[in-house]
Amino acid sequence: MHRLLLLGCLWLLAAPPGSSIFQRPTGTPAPLHLQYLLEPLHPTVHTQRGATATLPCVLRALPRNYRVKWSKVEPANYGESIIIITNGLFHKNYGPLSPRVRLRHSHRYDASLTISNVALEDEGRYRCQLVNGLEDESILLTLHLEGVVFPYQPSNGRYKFNYHEAKRACEQQDSRLATYQQLYKAWTEGLDWCNAGWILDGTVHYPIINSREPCGGRLLLPGVRTYGARDKQKDRFDAFCFTSALQGSQVYFIRGHLNFKEAAQACRNQGAALAKVGQLYSAWKFSQLDRCDGGWLADGSVRYPITTPRQRCGGLPEPGVRSFGFPSKEMRTYGSYCFVGK
């Protein structure tokens, strides 16, 4: 008991001035290397696309002539992009996030970053850095969007994208290239795909649950198999895209025997547009959209979402978005999946 009291007294003597009002809960002492910044209780902030999210960064005390710099850690180019810099009185915003970010400033020690209308590209790691001469220190936080990863290839077959084309293709389908963490999580949730695809950091992978001959052989263990980093200009693979639910949006089906142009017009007649592949995956994942009917999508493919597998709907035992590929756009065989946003 006496030893605990002595340790408590020593901590109070070592604490920076003004820190007492921001003590951490009992049993969670701040790391010794952080003198001014509080270690966040929850380093991962969960949010949804279109929502407002706040990344916490709170000071224990205000050193003289300090600055706080927020930046986003970019895995694709191994760098960091500055978002905002403040000295407590004034601030300056930088980069593409500039119109959507602000400092929360709920009190004088608060340097938390608030992001409005969260977008897919906002997911990732953020650094809050206290710049204070030789005593610089920082904390890392992660902004996490619940989402779904899907493989994507163009109408002319597999392995047609270089890295930049894969990145652009995902963006055209209301998604972005997945991170390794997103692909790994998708694999743990059942993603099993034999074709290799680009991810955001420029590496190439494919997730396998059921080992089989065409996918590296039966002897290799299940896992996210990798080709490593590849030439972003010359090498060609498919893409693994990541998308998330968008608040206030809806995907729905229009029945009919329509060709591609008629399907697009049917959606426009109702104030909507043909859904993109990412939007259909999002509706399947988050709105439990379940239909046996093949329908046109904006990229010219025909797909249908199944949440409750059954024999007459493809016969596969797992839920998923099934594909008929890219049939002739003149075929009057399918309905249309329409998307209406907020």
Side-chain angles (χ1 to χ4, degrees):
M1 184 67 179
H2 293 295
R3 184 181 181 186
L4 290 174
L5 288 172
L6 177 60
L7 288 173
C9 293
L10 289 173
W11 184 90
L12 287 173
L13 289 172
S19 65
S20 59
I21 63 171
F22 292 118
Q23 291 178 16
R24 294 171 59 84
T26 303
T28 56
L32 295 178
H33 66 279
L34 288 181
Q35 181 181 3
Y36 291 102
L37 293 179
L38 280 174
E39 187 79 13
L41 288 176
H42 304 288
T44 298
V45 175
H46 297 266
T47 188
Q48 293 181 318
R49 185 157 54 138
T52 296
T54 297
L55 298 167
C57 184
V58 178
L59 281 67
R60 302 161 63 85
L62 301 178
R64 293 183 179 178
N65 303 319
Y66 77 96
R67 289 179 298 155
V68 171
K69 179 175 73 175
W70 275 100
S71 57
K72 189 171 189 292
V73 181
E74 302 288 0
N77 56 19
Y78 305 101
E80 293 190 15
S81 301
I82 297 176
I83 299 170
I84 195 168
I85 296 177
T86 179
N87 64 0
L89 297 175
F90 306 99
H91 69 273
K92 184 173 177 59
N93 293 16
Y94 298 86
L97 265 175
S98 180
R100 295 189 289 115
V101 296
R102 60 180 175 83
L103 295 170
R104 183 173 63 180
H105 269 328
S106 59
H107 51 76
R108 62 194 292 248
Y109 298 90
D110 185 16
S112 302
L113 183 73
T114 295
I115 306 173
S116 61
N117 194 23
V118 171
L120 288 173
E121 59 269 23
D122 297 341
E123 170 151 313
R125 303 185 78 189
Y126 291 77
R127 185 187 305 277
C128 177
Q129 181 179 10
L130 176 73
V131 181
N132 182 35
L134 298 177
E135 299 179 326
D136 293 358
E137 55 190 66
S138 64
I139 57 173
L140 281 172
L141 301 110
T142 299
L143 186 66
H144 175 74
L145 277 72
E146 287 297 328
V148 57
V149 172
F150 61 94
Y152 189 75
Q153 58 183 225
S155 59
N156 57 341
R158 72 171 192 163
Y159 294 176
K160 301 296 183 182
F161 295 134
N162 67 24
Y163 173 82
H164 306 287
E165 292 164 343
K167 184 174 183 290
R168 188 160 53 248
C170 287
E171 291 167 354
Q172 290 170 348
Q173 297 309 314
D174 192 45
S175 60
R176 70 191 297 251
L177 279 175
T179 64
Y180 181 81
Q181 290 77 13
Q182 290 164 347
L183 181 63
Y184 184 88
K185 183 173 184 289
W187 169 70
T188 66
E189 295 173 348
L191 183 60
D192 182 273
W193 197 255
C194 214
N195 295 346
W198 294 102
I199 64 171
L200 186 60
D201 64 2
T203 58
V204 175
H205 308 266
Y206 64 103
I208 294 295
I209 290 177
N210 302 306
S211 298
R212 49 203 187 271
E213 286 305 327
C215 307
R218 297 179 183 276
L219 298 181
L220 284 179
L221 293 174
V224 179
R225 298 174 184 167
T226 180
Y227 288 1
R230 309 298 289 191
D231 190 306
K232 291 183 178 181
Q233 293 289 351
K234 297 178 180 179
D235 290 328
R236 294 188 173 271
F237 298 94
D238 291 347
F240 285 106
C241 306
F242 171 83
T243 192
S244 180
L246 180 61
Q247 292 183 339
S249 65
Q250 181 188 8
V251 173
Y252 62 93
F253 181 74
I254 295 179
R255 188 182 300 275
H257 297 284
L258 310 171
N259 64 29
F260 178 75
K261 287 185 178 179
E262 292 168 342
Q265 187 60 51
C267 292
R268 287 195 295 268
N269 290 343
Q270 298 188 6
L274 275 177
K276 299 177 179 180
V277 177
Q279 292 163 349
L280 183 65
Y281 268 92
S282 179
W284 163 73
K285 177 76 171 181
F286 299 105
S287 301
Q288 289 74 54
L289 185 62
D290 184 284
R291 291 202 69 100
C292 270
D293 309 274
W296 292 103
L297 297 179
D299 67 340
S301 66
V302 173
R303 307 174 195 249
Y304 62 102
I306 297 295
T307 56
T308 305
R310 46 211 186 267
Q311 191 61 39
R312 67 181 184 87
C313 299
L316 296 176
E318 299 88 9
V321 175
R322 320 285 194 229
S323 175
F324 289 133
F326 294 83
S328 168
K329 291 184 177 181
E330 301 305 316
M331 290 181 62
R332 285 190 168 89
T333 308
Y334 306 104
S336 56
Y337 285 101
C338 304
F339 172 82
V340 59
K342 58 181 179 178

